[in-house]
Amino acid sequence: THKMGETVDTLERCCVSLSVNPSRGLMDEKFIILVQKALPGFQLTIHASYHCEDGNSWEAFAHYTADAGGTVNVSQDTSLGGTYSGVEAMGLLWSLRPVPGSKPGLRLRKKNVQTPMEVTISVYQGHQTEGFVDQVPLASVLVERWYMAPGVCRIPITEEGLTATLFVPAGNGPFPGLLDLWGGGGPLVEYRAALLASHGIASLALNYLTPKTTMETGKMVDNQYFEKAYKFLQQHPQICDSRIAMLGLSLGSAFTLKMAVYSQVMKLRCVVCIGGSHVQPVDGSVEQVLGYMEKNSEKTRFTENNEMIWRDLLLPIPTDPSFKVDVGRLKCPLMLVVSEDDQNWPAPESAKDMKEMMERAGNSHLLTVLSYPNAGHLIEPPYTPHVRISMFRTVVMALWGGQMVEHSRAQEDAWKKILIFLRENLYDIKRNVRAEIKNTYFSSR
Amino acid sequence: MWSKCRWSTVMFSFLHRRSSVMSQTPPIVSVLPTRGLVDEKFKVLVENLPPGRPVTVRSLHHSDNGHYWEAFGFYTSDHRGTVNVSKDQSVGGTYTGKEPMGLLWSMCPVPGSHKGLRLRKLNMCSPMLVNISVHSGHEGFRDGAPLASVLVERWYMAPGVKRIDVQEKGLLGTLFLPPGPGPFPGILDLWGGGGGLVEYRSALLASHGFATMSLDYLSCGQPVFTYVETAFNFIKDHPQVIADRVGVVGLCLGSLPALYLAADSTVVKVVKQITSPLLLVSGCDDQNWPSFETAEDINQTMRAAGNDHLLSRLDYPDSGHLIEPPFSPHFRASTFVTTNKRKAMILWGGKTKPHSDAQEDSWRKILSFLQQHLCCSLNAKL
């Protein structure tokens, strides 16, 4: 036991120190992982471990060698191997993967955003690749990663027949507002809206596929449902009624673009679409849009592992204008986030077509396209792990695409630029001021 | 989480649509980090103000025992409409000059409060909530609602630190264990004559990697020195503590048992007189204990005994008695309940700015001293 006198092992345990700063951060903040007081040239493995709400375990690890001062600084030093390599300050988060023996097709998504993601960061002796659970680390710390900043309020909304969750930043307001639409993947996901509220934007995560009314009556919502959500934001006492944006991912982009162009009620300040397309029956309801895709489902392709590729369902981009939202009529700035290895939606082709439509119409000055080589469909807030495939609605395995490193860089870059875009349009903040805000950690040490 | 929503509702109870500001957006105040340890610095930034506008940046805290504390600085936005508290000069308020942490250490009870209040966190498992807000104007800043605000958490306990009630061997204490497998260097934390179980310094030391126990040694009804030895043994023998790496931190009255353990106690085996390294921290304007004179006397005694190489001293001019962890507010006097249950106003001494600088400087040096003597590097050992 440790009490049996001074062994070298005990001294090593005493000596190697591990710190992660900040120990409590937002999901999109960087941290600095520092190992100190090791022997110079000491080989060590830094390991991250996370136990999901759904009971699955994820891990990441990287191999380092302590420098002449006995220090490893993950933000500055090179990982020699592991789940990532090279100089990667946040690699221990974005390279997290299910532990060996896990079910295939898992995806890491936080359901309860009122508690933090708790990640254990540990240091092990030597360059190890497995069996971490059976060993005692030299040191370990717990790190909290939050979707909600202190003071952000989470409010479930059920009025007007809406099923949604509103996140309001701390303080009086008034705040700019945002309507947040997810994709076809399942129940309401709140984390992006929570994170946006942590950045000063009152955000409404709207359930438009499985809201209470649909679950009770079996009928899908009509297009007025989105307008009701917009009016709800407009009338909220803490929200600026003239500063409301809309953000859609995947299927959510389809309805975002439709409402942005055609709604007489919604006067949006700006629009962001991630991994989406303008191709749809423009007069169609939610049900009809889904039906259109269903009709084309024979275009589904399969990988050799039977994973479904859905990007062809909307291809080729139609020439018939009744099947694509006329973005030439858009009156507010539009940001398209496009992954070039998107295997789920034809985002690159759609973006190209939208650009041409806007150039012809003379409003292409409103368009910003962010295009990322080797990124897959699911562009999430930064530092969340990339998955190339996962179970879709617990029934089939979908291929999303993307390679881990490029996808993770795309998530980080896109989020930064989405925040700048939203702030510029919702707050009128000049870009050069915004650039001063860095998510670096400031310490008294 | 309930407390945070309720906080917003209580403090900003007049939520109304201000149609006059529909066309202009309010300023944004942001603090990094929003969740930090109490000894960590933060950066406070206000943006989207009109340029050249006088504003007040204010902090507000509702203490565990129900009082309101505040600090504020007067600033003017620059040509880009920003105020950066870490870089800009406050021209008035509870602090002046370039003071990144002034919004914490210069806090005082809000107007109308009782006299002689002291700010101390009682519950370690929840953070200190501080509301940072920006207001229009300087002298009359309270007349209007805040333009924007943000909530900041300040923690004594890092994530993963465990708090354990200790009630064995007749001891009454609280043990804080750092996260990780251990074993850890240990610390016995002895507070002063105010009595009770004061946990915050122990929690903070555990957040820095020391297994730390705070001890109530005044209400135990036993001879203090024996009791303190039992506590020291408890820590030393704990399976997650490295037995020969245990130190003692004492404040005020607690310094006496600490010195006893370092010198005459037979528990610390190889000690005769003082043979372990000793750090004395004194406020030169200490109106409660003659701490500077005491330190001088100890210094002379040790010089005569030939062991003054073990002694380090930190003496702070214009600092008072209560040298607390950094950024805690300074108060020159506060009410104190004496042993015969009488309330008195005790003068602790010190001037706010030098005292706050002393807290920041001494904490850094205390941590460094503890790390140097309790966690030596492998290099030095071999």
Side-chain angles (χ1 to χ4, degrees), chain A residues 3 6 15 24 137 140 146 148 153 170-174 241 243 423 426-427 436-438 441-442 444-445, chain B residues 5 12 17-18 22-23 25-26 32 35 39-40 45 80 149 155 157 179 181 208 236 238 241 244 376:
Chain A
K3 307 304 283 185
E6 269 184 19
C15 292
R24 295 179 173 92
S140 97
W146 289 82
M148 282 172 72
C153 269
N172 243 0
D241 60 358
R243 287 173 188 266
R423 276 200 161 194
L426 293 173
Y427 270 104
E436 271 203 35
I437 313 300
K438 295 189 188 89
Y441 177 71
F442 306 101
S444 63
R445 285 184 274 280
Chain B
C5 283
F12 310 116
R17 291 264 308 281
R18 291 178 288 179
M22 254 164 33
S23 53
T25 44
L32 273 179
R35 293 179 173 96
D39 60 355
E40 286 168 0
L45 189 68
R80 290 170 309 182
S149 68
W155 289 81
M157 276 171 73
H208 287 279
K236 192 167 71 67
H238 194 282
V241 174
D244 62 347
C376 59

Side-chain angles (χ1 to χ4, degrees), chain A residues 60-299:
Chain A
F61 56 89
H63 300 150
Y64 292 91
T65 302
D67 66 12
T71 298
V72 172
N73 180 336
V74 172
S75 303
Q76 293 169 1
D77 298 344
T78 306
S79 157
L80 306 164
T83 54
Y84 67 91
S85 57
V87 180
E88 298 290 354
M90 305 303 290
L92 282 164
L93 289 183
W94 54 250
S95 73
L96 281 170
R97 62 193 190 187
V99 296
S102 299
K103 284 201 308 273
L106 293 175
R107 195 171 156 188
L108 200 158
R109 306 184 96 183
K110 190 110 182 22
K111 298 215 173 37
N112 179 1
V113 295
Q114 294 182 289
T115 57
M117 190 175 157
E118 291 186 338
V119 181
T120 302
I121 307 277
S122 312
V123 185
Y124 291 88
Q125 188 166 349
H127 286 170
Q128 317 229 21
T129 53
E130 58 185 358
F132 294 100
V133 162
D134 304 319
Q135 298 179 57
V136 179
L138 297 175
S140 97
V141 295
L142 193 67
V143 177
E144 291 179 1
R145 305 289 293 173
W146 289 82
Y147 280 103
M148 282 172 72
V152 169
C153 269
R154 175 185 176 273
I155 306 161
I157 304 295
T158 49
E159 42 253 62
E160 309 284 338
L162 296 170
T163 300
T165 311
L166 178 66
F167 290 90
V168 183
N172 243 0
F175 307 104
L178 183 142
L179 196 48
D180 184 25
L181 298 192
W182 275 90
L188 188 61
V189 174
E190 298 183 354
Y191 50 84
R192 193 170 58 201
L195 200 51
L196 287 168
S198 301
H199 287 277
I201 302 170
S203 301
L204 187 74
L206 181 68
N207 187 345
Y208 60 94
L209 285 179
T210 56
K212 191 153 172 282
T213 53
T214 300
M215 302 308 280
E216 285 172 355
T217 66
K219 282 171 55 180
M220 306 222 74
V221 303
D222 55 20
N223 291 332
Q224 280 70 48
Y225 182 81
F226 300 103
E227 291 176 340
K228 269 196 244 168
Y230 173 86
K231 283 201 278 227
F232 168 82
L233 285 176
Q234 259 200 321
Q235 286 159 11
H236 194 281
Q238 283 179 284
I239 297 177
C240 268
D241 60 358
S242 61
R243 287 173 188 266
I244 297 176
M246 199 161 171
L247 190 156
L249 172 97
S250 189
L251 180 65
S253 296
F255 304 108
T256 300
L257 287 168
K258 190 214 276 311
M259 303 314 291
V261 171
Y262 298 116
S263 170
Q264 297 300 310
V265 169
M266 294 170 76
K267 303 280 172 254
L268 299 167
R269 275 301 267 237
C270 63
V271 173
V272 179
C273 289
I274 304 174
S277 173
H278 58 323
V279 175
Q280 57 181 282
V282 299
D283 291 327
S285 61
V286 172
E287 188 164 17
Q288 284 158 340
V289 169
L290 290 173
Y292 176 78
M293 298 180 65
E294 180 65 34
K295 249 193 5 228
N296 289 312
S297 60
E298 82 275 3
K299 292 190 195 167

Side-chain angles (χ1 to χ4, degrees), chain B residues 271-297:
Chain B
V271 169
K272 203 174 159 122
Q273 297 294 327
I274 291 168
T275 56
S276 32
L278 171 64
L279 175 66
L280 295 177
V281 182
S282 314
C284 300
D285 191 39
D286 190 336
Q287 296 299 321
N288 189 255
W289 272 60
S291 51
F292 178 74
E293 292 85 340
T294 310
E296 285 282 291
D297 193 66

